[in-house]
Amino acid sequence: MKQGIHPSYHKINVIMTDGSTFETHTTWGKEGDTMRLDIDPKSHPAWTGGGHKLMDTGGQISKFSKRYQNFGLKS
């Protein structure tokens, strides 16, 4: 393995959205840094089974729905 080309592998602290913390090894940041998560498996609908909500920013969903309204897609 070549020397000096790989990022350092060190411990950091991770703070979940509910405030719980854990320590992990990573190449992110520096030794002892803290990573605060905005989305994690405890709060994201993909893991919790919660419903999802489509946000129509810029009217993209409306444009799509209008364009393909005759294909049998339901809102």
Side-chain angles (χ1 to χ4, degrees), residues 2 12 14 16 24-25 27 42 44 47 52 62 65 75:
K2 289 186 179 179
I12 65 164
V14 179
M16 307 286 271
T24 188
H25 287 86
T27 59
K42 293 180 180 180
H44 195 279
W47 288 288
H52 64 281
S62 299
S65 297
S75 305

Side-chain angles (χ1 to χ4, degrees), residues 3 11 15 22 25 31 44 49 61 65 67-68 73 75:
Q3 297 297 320
K11 291 182 182 179
I15 301 176
F22 67 92
H25 287 86
E31 179 77 31
H44 195 279
I61 296 172
S65 297
R67 180 178 291 166
Y68 297 106
L73 298 175
S75 305

Side-chain angles (χ1 to χ4, degrees), residues 12-22 24 28 32-40 43:
I12 65 164
N13 295 313
V14 179
I15 301 176
M16 307 286 271
T17 56
D18 68 349
S20 61
T21 63
F22 67 92
T24 188
W28 179 87
D33 279 354
T34 300
M35 176 187 285
R36 289 186 173 274
L37 300 179
D38 294 331
I39 299 173
D40 64 22
S43 65

